[in-house]
Amino acid sequence: MVGQILRHQFRKTAFFVLVVLASVPFLASPASLPIQFAPPINLNLGSTVDRLCAADFNGDGFPDLAVTYGNGIGILTNDGTGTMRLWANFYAYGALGAGDFNGDHKMDLVTVASGSAGKVWLNNGNGDFRATNFNSPYAIGSAVAVGDFNGDQKLDLAASASSVCIFLGQGDGRLVFLTNYDAGGTAIAMADFDRNTRIDLVSVRYGSSYTSVLSGNGDGTFAPPANYFDSTYYRYCVATGDFNRDAKPDIVTGEHDYYHLISVRLNNGDGTFGPQKTVQAPISVSALAIADFDGDGNLDIVAGNPLVILPGNGDGTFASAVTNLSSFSPHEGANQSLVVADFDGDGRPDIATTSVTNNCVSILLNRTAPSVSIQNTSGLLVLNWTDQLGFHLEFTTNLGLPNTWSAVTNPSFVVNGQRIVVTTATSGNGFFRLRKP
């Protein structure tokens, strides 16, 4: 017999109530609460904001942000709660990427703007960033991907516009042009699609009917692009993730037009991809990111313009879009960029996004409760959930008396990322909740 699982969400408290019918052994299947976020933490920069990327720029262990606004770059440092402050700014613009380009264990920044020039901004750790220039024989201003393409432990760069250009890092902050491929576009992402330990690339071009996959050769070069025909022509963004839990990274693209489509191609396991599967989105998509927001082990898709989330089912399909992120309503209309990171250190992915209509960078902290399962065996209750900071198990015998909840002080332990608590079954009905103050 399965005990009733009741879900509830207070304004400031995410919790999960489980009715325990202690006289009957049962196994309750994990079930997660709806994806929920706290009201946004906003930082108004006073002028139009555009691109974002996340990295720990000041070395304190918390993810920070770099954002283009006006004609400059702002480095926003995080105090560990998701609250940001302007730490550094300098004149630059264009697509952003982050990485340690000179091996000093400080996160640097790379920018490429319209045209054929780019800059690596070397971070000295105290808010100063020193520019190192690099040039390309081709335009490179649309998008970037940072990774070690030739296995020399030095970060390289793929930059895209009219073509995909590859630059090899020299380990001292310099980037040197190597080659280019006719697969340029609006957005670029990377993954090891064929699982040969070499980085591959995927690129989409707004106005083109193809998604292009470039398989890495391991020396900084790539095989000629494999082009996959898509049914529409307005893919604006691309991301990668394993959507059917087969340990093979898949591809998702977003349409920035009246079709409002998000398209997924599942990986065949050899670096080739199956047919395009489309999901109707309630928005015209200008940005994508991937994370497991509800802790069920399935990757979800977050898309911007305005913000919506497609919860993954774990088989390459998605549940109905979460569109009731009412806390974000003041910034609807033009989310040009978004990134996912754990900004408050509680183990759950949060969202940072820009809104050009409000000149804001907004942080949305994840307040979704983790999934809980409970088993009653021989008079003992075994409860387990994905281990996440800040959640406490509480118990009561009477839901009608809200002040009777008490902490379950039984020892807990973590096995394979699951926190487990064993407690004695009660006579009659009992109620557990997982609560984060």
Side-chain angles (χ1 to χ4, degrees), residues 366-432:
N366 192 343
R367 290 295 178 258
T368 307
S371 302
V372 177
S373 66
I374 182 170
Q375 184 176 8
N376 182 353
T377 304
S378 301
L380 293 178
L381 300 177
V382 180
L383 299 97
N384 68 285
W385 62 90
T386 302
D387 187 41
Q388 295 179 357
L389 296 178
F391 282 96
H392 305 285
L393 187 65
E394 297 180 344
F395 174 79
T396 187
T397 58
N398 191 339
L399 283 180
L401 299 176
N403 296 325
T404 61
W405 289 99
S406 60
V408 176
T409 57
N410 300 58
S412 66
F413 51 95
V414 178
V415 177
N416 295 327
Q418 292 290 114
R419 183 161 292 277
I420 299 172
V421 174
V422 180
T423 187
T424 304
T426 62
S427 59
N429 291 340
F431 303 88
F432 288 93

Side-chain angles (χ1 to χ4, degrees), residues 173-423:
R174 292 179 298 136
L175 293 171
V176 176
F177 175 80
L178 175 65
T179 188
N180 75 303
Y181 299 90
D182 185 18
T186 311
I188 191 169
M190 64 184 189
D192 180 9
F193 293 122
D194 50 10
R195 299 186 298 176
N196 64 357
T197 72
R198 301 168 183 170
I199 294 177
D200 311 310
L201 299 172
V202 57
S203 176
V204 296
R205 179 183 298 171
Y206 186 78
S208 166
S209 58
Y210 293 98
T211 295
S212 299
V213 176
L214 296 88
S215 296
N217 295 320
D219 59 359
T221 66
F222 294 80
N227 295 317
Y228 293 85
F229 178 79
D230 291 328
S231 59
T232 54
Y233 295 85
Y234 303 101
R235 285 166 315 289
Y236 194 79
C237 44
V238 63
T240 65
D242 178 12
F243 300 115
N244 59 349
R245 302 184 69 166
D246 64 354
K248 305 165 188 173
D250 310 308
I251 296 171
V252 57
T253 60
E255 303 283 344
H256 189 53
D257 64 357
Y258 54 86
Y259 290 110
H260 294 186
L261 293 179
I262 291 176
S263 299
V264 174
R265 286 186 182 272
L266 298 180
N267 190 339
N268 295 323
D270 57 1
T272 65
F273 293 84
Q276 176 189 22
K277 298 180 179 181
T278 59
V279 179
Q280 190 70 46
I283 60 170
S284 179
V285 181
S286 62
L288 288 170
I290 310 301
D292 178 9
F293 291 107
D294 53 9
D296 64 356
N298 304 324
L299 287 181
D300 312 311
I301 298 172
V302 56
N305 199 23
L307 205 67
V308 299
I309 293 175
L310 296 177
N313 294 322
D315 58 0
T317 66
F318 297 85
S320 299
V322 177
T323 60
N324 62 340
L325 300 176
S326 58
S327 62
F328 196 70
S329 59
H331 302 284
E332 290 181 358
N335 304 318
Q336 296 298 301
S337 184
L338 63 88
V339 295
V340 171
D342 181 9
F343 292 109
D344 59 355
D346 68 353
R348 293 175 294 178
D350 309 309
I351 298 170
T353 185
T354 59
S355 174
V356 300
T357 56
N358 295 82
N359 300 332
C360 270
V361 174
S362 296
I363 309 296
L364 285 84
L365 299 178
N366 192 343
R367 290 295 178 258
T368 307
S371 302
V372 177
S373 66
I374 182 170
Q375 184 176 8
N376 182 353
T377 304
S378 301
L380 293 178
L381 300 177
V382 180
L383 299 97
N384 68 285
W385 62 90
T386 302
D387 187 41
Q388 295 179 357
L389 296 178
F391 282 96
H392 305 285
L393 187 65
E394 297 180 344
F395 174 79
T396 187
T397 58
N398 191 339
L399 283 180
L401 299 176
N403 296 325
T404 61
W405 289 99
S406 60
V408 176
T409 57
N410 300 58
S412 66
F413 51 95
V414 178
V415 177
N416 295 327
Q418 292 290 114
R419 183 161 292 277
I420 299 172
V421 174
V422 180
T423 187

